[in-house]
Amino acid sequence: MEHLTVDVAIIGGGTAACAAAVALREAGLTVALLEKRLCGAGASGVNFGGVRQQGRDFAELPLSQRARVLWDGLNAKLGEDVGFEATGHIKLARSESDMAVLEAYARDAAGHGLDLQLLGPNALRAEMPWLGPAVVGASLSPTDGQANPRVVGPAFARLARRLGAEVREHAPVRHAIHDGSGFTVEAEGVTVKSRSLVNAAGAYGGAVAGWFGETAPVAPLSPNMVVTEPSGPLVTRSIGVVGGDVYVRQTRRGNVVLGGGRGTADIADGLARPVSAVSLGAMGKTLTLIPDLAHAQVIRSWSGLDGEMPDHIPVIGPSGTTPGLVHAFGFSGHGFQLGPAVGEILAELVTQGRSASPLQPFRIERFAAWRGPYRSEGEIEH
């Protein structure tokens, strides 16, 4: 059994966790990160890859805007190309009532500093003539975009290692305690003693919080994803729809990535699978938006495990019971874009006890007396 003593232990190896390891090393603290599989292989690596501010709960918008600035410099910081492109994110309306939803959101978003462009059918088709007749209008966030989710988390992990963080993969955490002076974290093959502990355990974040007497009703969430073989350039924007039942983008290589609905998950085994009927449903909805994809060949489908909170915004902030413990989990299917900024925020909470970003809506104490439904059956908005 290996024994480590560090300033900060981190449970979880997603983008936010690895970005926190980077920021903490940059602040001069020693760090051990414990990931049960491979860094970036969980929710951070199986999602759609949307880098969007549009459509978020307004409580998340300050974090999203902070993250968007970081995405511009991510390749240089990481020393790798993570595929970020500011293609813009366009949210489509398929009815007049959908368009009213977009108009109301755009009005309110302006008050939060997010400028969205509303497009009627003529303007929309002048720019995107490949859209089908089902689309009646849209809202465009031109500064949003997309990136490759499979490479971002691992790139942060590699940078953390280069900066001197102890990154342990295939090291599932069995338990953690606080003895009044510090934390002891027991993981497969290694015991870590630390002054501070970051809980970034994704779908398992509620279980970790429970070790410290805190309630956080996290349900597993499994996005249902599909990708086609490469084809010629067609889909110029990252696309979502009102209601969130389908979302589409095209990669630089030409593959079209689409998703919608939910796969299945076994939280005990940590495994998730796509569902064929859900994939077919998402493909059918995609064709109503983009009929020219009718002959695209699907080459793969997949799913993965994320954590979903009943109110669809994450838990981010200090523990309510245990000094030195900070949480960041339950990103409910839209944490990919936030990851780089959440890493910085976690480092601020550890080193300063506070963050420059407003975290009040995300405090774990909001679930202290939770008796409501454990999970939502709603769509995953993109």
Side-chain angles (χ1 to χ4, degrees), residues 29-44:
L29 275 64
T30 54
V31 178
L33 182 148
L34 304 165
E35 161 57 39
K36 65 184 174 64
R37 294 192 296 165
L38 295 170
C39 289
S44 296

Side-chain angles (χ1 to χ4, degrees), residues 1-6 8-12 32-35 171-179 182-199 208 211-212 325:
M1 175 70 75
E2 184 180 10
H3 295 270
L4 297 173
T5 299
V6 293
V8 188
I10 300 174
I11 301 176
L33 182 148
L34 304 165
E35 161 57 39
V173 172
R174 307 302 186 198
H175 196 57
I177 61 169
H178 188 270
D179 63 7
F183 295 90
T184 299
V185 184
E186 301 284 352
E188 184 76 29
V190 60
T191 297
V192 180
K193 290 186 175 297
S194 64
R195 177 165 44 87
S196 300
L197 177 63
V198 173
N199 170 19
V208 174
W211 296 340
F212 299 95
L325 172 63

Side-chain angles (χ1 to χ4, degrees), residues 52-367:
R52 65 170 176 87
Q53 303 159 91
Q54 176 169 221
R56 290 188 176 275
D57 188 300
F58 291 129
E60 285 187 343
L61 210 44
L63 279 59
S64 183
Q65 290 165 328
R66 176 174 176 174
R68 178 59 189 85
V69 174
L70 297 177
W71 278 96
D72 280 328
L74 222 49
N75 288 350
K77 181 179 183 68
L78 298 172
E80 302 183 36
D81 182 359
V82 297
F84 172 62
E85 294 182 306
T87 57
H89 175 266
I90 196 159
K91 196 150 196 167
L92 303 178
R94 294 170 289 189
S95 66
E96 292 306 319
S97 61
D98 283 357
M99 199 63 208
V101 170
L102 294 178
E103 290 167 354
Y105 185 88
R107 276 196 306 271
D108 293 341
H112 293 268
L114 178 64
D115 292 325
L116 302 174
Q117 300 172 12
L118 295 171
L119 304 174
N122 293 337
L124 188 59
R125 285 186 173 73
E127 190 208 331
M128 304 168 73
W130 36 269
L131 284 172
V135 180
V136 302
S139 170
L140 171 66
S141 179
T143 59
D144 287 345
Q146 55 184 290
N148 185 346
R150 296 176 65 83
V151 302
V152 179
F156 267 108
R158 285 188 284 271
L159 176 57
R161 280 197 176 101
R162 293 198 297 274
L163 293 172
E166 300 282 352
V167 178
R168 297 289 189 270
E169 297 177 308
H170 300 294
V173 172
R174 307 302 186 198
H175 196 57
I177 61 169
H178 188 270
D179 63 7
S181 61
F183 295 90
T184 299
V185 184
E186 301 284 352
E188 184 76 29
V190 60
T191 297
V192 180
K193 290 186 175 297
S194 64
R195 177 165 44 87
S196 300
L197 177 63
V198 173
N199 170 19
Y204 304 90
V208 174
W211 296 340
F212 299 95
E214 295 186 280
T215 299
V218 190
L221 182 155
S222 300
N224 200 96
M225 304 301 304
V226 171
V227 64
T228 74
E229 65 182 357
S231 59
L234 175 67
V235 184
T236 52
R237 304 282 194 187
S238 179
I239 294 177
V241 299
V242 175
D245 58 11
V246 67
Y247 34 93
V248 189
R249 68 181 179 91
Q250 189 168 26
T251 69
R252 290 176 186 164
R253 187 167 175 262
N255 307 83
V256 175
V257 180
L258 63 103
R262 297 165 184 254
T264 62
D266 185 325
I267 191 73
D269 290 338
L271 299 175
R273 292 179 181 275
V275 176
S276 297
V278 176
S279 298
L280 288 169
M283 293 157 63
K285 289 169 184 168
T286 298
L287 292 181
T288 67
L289 303 176
I290 313 170
D292 288 350
L293 292 176
H295 300 291
Q297 298 291 315
V298 169
I299 58 173
R300 187 167 70 91
S301 62
W302 73 93
S303 187
L305 268 180
D306 194 357
E308 181 177 25
M309 307 309 299
D311 54 4
H312 291 276
I313 59 174
V315 171
I316 305 173
S319 164
T321 64
T322 310
L325 172 63
V326 296
H327 302 294
F329 59 86
F331 287 91
S332 305
H334 46 255
F336 177 64
Q337 190 260 359
L338 302 178
V342 172
E344 287 189 350
I345 289 168
L346 288 168
E348 290 169 354
L349 291 172
V350 169
T351 59
Q352 306 168 34
R354 57 184 175 81
S355 172
S357 294
L359 300 180
Q360 180 71 7
F362 312 115
R363 66 197 190 285
I364 193 169
E365 290 90 340
R366 72 188 193 268
F367 296 115

